[in-house]
Amino acid sequence: MSHDELDNAAYYEARADEHVWRAAKELGVSRRRFIELAAVGSAGAVALLGACTSKNKLSSEEKSGPPTTKVPIPSALVKDTPPSQFTYTTELGFNAEMNWKQMAGLGYLVPNHLFFVRQSSPTPRLTPQNWKLTVSGPGVTKPLEFTYDQLLALPSVKSVVRCVECAGNGRAFFKGVLGQDTFVAGDNGAKVSLAQWRLGAVGVAEWTGVPLGEILQRAGVKPTAKDVVPGGVDQSALKRPMSIAKAMEDDTLLVYAMNGDTLPADHGYPVRVLTPGWVGNQSVKWVGSIEVAEEPVFVPQNTTLYVYIGPDYKPEPPRLGPVVERQVMKSAFELAWPAQLKPGAQKIGGRAWGPDPIKGVEYSIDDGKTWSPAKLSDPNVPEAWVRWSFDWAPTPGEYKIRARAIDDKGNKQPDAVPYNQLGMNYGAVVAHPVTVA
Ligand SMILES: Nc1nc2c(c(=O)[nH]1)N[C@H]1C(S)=C(S)[C@@H](COP(=O)(O)O)O[C@H]1N2
Ligand SMILES: [Mo]
């Protein structure tokens, strides 16, 4: 990617619009309906698509008609996502899944350049000059504004080591194991595909920032405040409510540094939210506003897009199902998928994480018939992850190897989980294919 392209926000916007329209068309969404949805910016699948567009651009595109040739969609991210390190896809935005093999032999933290990325629209080009943070709403007595410098001057927490994980991490296994499609319902019965992550939509970093509670106190948060709604200033303008209790936790942060560096553009520069133990969608990037409400706030993000929908779940009006907030426990091997190994003695490593502290990890090399404890290595930070390993001396052949985490209450990752339509929180044990030759 040339430097010119990097600097040219308009280029990305145009490409994003092209991508969004083509994606909508492939789903059988009519042009008229697409424009309607983009204009109202309403709920549902195409809201996400529509959010990547604007009325003006649609009307000028309307004159020239949709693109007729298939052009490769360039990365809408600032950082490079080479195929050796990431699987890059564009379902409902931009998804760069970390290749787990990269983590073998690395330290506890995921370096910024390897950290997975998920977003509904291209990375906005923000500067301390064109960014500010507003705090407002009926739940505060003193609405406030902060510049970048003012925010950096507030009391901060230097080191909060926590994971960020997409709620859809593991989604591919609903299809791969249960044989069921996962999708968002579009119009005309269209099924809008979602990112088919295996287990690489997770990472642990050291985050530095100002506790959200500190900001809310300064804004005179009322005892009647109920929901706190950070808003992103990217084109998708993500808004994801959280409870006041979550907002006031010590480690719920407005983050401005990641692993000791200025927060990278793709991860939310200048400022993002961090909601430890809760799914990545809550950790709003490029945050420009914090609204505090005295009523529960219902938006598509917590009524239709991040809910469990399926035969095992009941609607909770106005939600289509129970809301997806907390992560679930998972473990992953630091191996390529599928993995190729040489025969003979070797160490196999992986990591396990979840919203509760991880107390143990077991592995099986015989299709889940027998399980043995893996060796855990320090540190084991709650709401981050723990590294584990075991020695294995395989002979040539095809294997499925498994790992399962155990939390401090003795819960183990289950062998199976019920289907849900949006493919949220797949926490079952995953069988990792390995060829030894
Ligand atoms: N403003 C904004 N924030 C966002 C998103 C987005 O599209 N826009 N995507 C969310 C989702 S779904 C996830 S999983 C995380 C991913 O964070 P990362 O890209 O830093 O790994 O960002 C969240 N924050
Ligand atoms: Mo996500």
Side-chain angles (χ1 to χ4, degrees):
M1 194 179 293
S2 80
H3 189 72
D4 260 12
E5 285 171 349
L6 275 182
D7 283 343
N8 188 350
Y11 169 86
Y12 286 98
E13 284 192 22
R15 284 311 178 94
D17 282 356
E18 242 176 63
H19 158 67
V20 160
W21 160 237
R22 195 166 50 243
K25 197 170 90 171
E26 276 167 14
L27 293 163
V29 176
S30 74
R31 178 132 200 108
R32 174 171 305 173
R33 180 81 182 120
F34 176 61
I35 291 165
E36 280 167 18
L37 285 162
V40 293
S42 67
V46 194
L48 282 181
L49 295 169
C52 302
T53 70
S54 77
K55 262 197 225 172
N56 289 347
K57 279 188 229 94
L58 277 172
S59 48
S60 61
E61 199 190 334
E62 182 76 331
K63 282 178 214 127
S64 57
T68 48
T69 47
K70 285 229 166 197
V71 285
I73 299 155
S75 170
L77 309 187
V78 170
K79 72 182 182 186
D80 263 346
T81 52
S84 57
Q85 293 171 343
F86 292 95
T87 305
Y88 188 81
T89 65
T90 54
E91 292 99 347
L92 282 184
F94 307 96
N95 317 298
E97 175 170 6
M98 179 188 78
N99 178 346
W100 263 103
K101 192 181 173 182
Q102 301 294 307
M103 292 310 294
L106 282 192
Y108 188 77
L109 305 173
V110 178
N112 293 355
H113 72 283
L114 292 183
F115 209 95
F116 88 99
V117 183
R118 157 71 203 149
Q119 57 203 41
S120 301
S121 45
T123 297
R125 276 29 177 198
L126 299 175
T127 66
Q129 287 71 42
N130 68 15
W131 179 88
K132 69 174 183 204
L133 177 70
T134 60
V135 186
S136 64
V140 295
T141 56
K142 287 178 286 183
L144 288 178
E145 270 189 27
F146 295 91
T147 65
Y148 186 60
D149 290 342
Q150 286 167 339
L151 190 81
L152 264 58
L154 295 179
S156 63
V157 187
K158 189 179 173 294
S159 177
V160 171
V161 172
R162 298 287 186 275
C163 91
V164 169
E165 179 182 31
C166 185
N169 199 25
R171 181 180 286 124
F173 302 112
F174 284 104
K175 179 77 177 169
V177 176
L178 301 179
Q180 303 228 138
D181 286 330
T182 48
F183 59 91
V184 175
D187 59 342
N188 299 328
K191 293 183 175 183
V192 180
S193 325
L194 297 159
Q196 293 301 301
W197 312 110
R198 284 198 188 97
L199 290 171
V202 62
V204 169
E206 180 190 51
W207 310 96
T208 304
V210 179
L212 178 52
E214 171 79 34
I215 302 272
L216 295 177
Q217 297 289 9
R218 281 170 192 252
V221 65
K222 295 183 192 167
T224 47
K226 195 155 243 152
D227 273 6
V228 176
V229 190
V233 300
D234 52 330
Q235 288 172 336
S236 82
L238 174 64
K239 285 199 173 175
R240 182 72 211 253
M242 71 178 101
S243 61
I244 186 75
K246 184 66 183 170
M248 298 304 286
E249 279 178 15
D250 289 348
D251 58 357
T252 297
L253 298 186
L254 292 178
V255 163
Y256 53 75
M258 179 177 182
N259 291 328
D261 284 331
T262 303
L263 186 64
D266 299 317
H267 297 290
Y269 177 83
V271 178
R272 82 174 302 164
V273 175
L274 178 75
T275 54
W278 285 26
V279 296
N281 179 252
Q282 304 269 170
S283 290
V284 174
K285 303 193 277 190
W286 316 293
V287 63
S289 58
I290 309 277
E291 290 165 58
V292 186
E294 291 181 288
E295 306 293 332
V297 177
F298 295 108
V299 290
Q301 296 290 329
N302 64 10
T303 58
T304 62
L305 296 173
Y306 286 82
V307 289
Y308 294 100
I309 305 168
D312 290 62
Y313 302 99
K314 285 199 185 67
E316 296 178 359
R319 308 186 203 275
L320 297 183
V323 70
V324 175
E325 275 174 352
R326 274 171 53 97
Q327 298 167 247
V328 298
M329 192 161 49
K330 295 198 186 76
S331 30
F333 290 93
E334 295 169 343
L335 294 173
W337 185 292
Q340 310 279 340
L341 298 177
K342 295 259 174 274
Q346 55 201 292
K347 194 189 259 293
I348 303 292
R351 304 182 188 222
W353 64 96
D356 295 309
I358 304 295
K359 276 291 145 72
V361 174
E362 296 174 339
Y363 70 94
S364 171
I365 47 164
D366 57 3
D367 292 326
K369 286 187 210 75
T370 59
W371 295 84
S372 313
K375 184 170 165 283
L376 305 191
S377 46
D378 285 339
N380 183 358
V381 181
E383 297 176 330
W385 56 25
V386 63
R387 287 169 293 175
W388 48 264
S389 63
F390 60 88
D391 296 316
W392 190 29
T395 53
E398 300 291 330
Y399 298 84
K400 293 262 204 286
I401 63 175
R402 291 168 168 78
R404 66 182 179 206
I406 307 164
D407 70 18
D408 60 343
K409 299 182 194 83
N411 299 310
K412 287 183 183 180
Q413 282 184 255
D415 292 332
V417 287
Y419 168 75
N420 73 84
Q421 184 196 295
L422 295 163
M424 295 285 144
N425 272 344
Y426 187 91
V429 173
V430 167
H432 197 117
V434 178
T435 302
V436 178

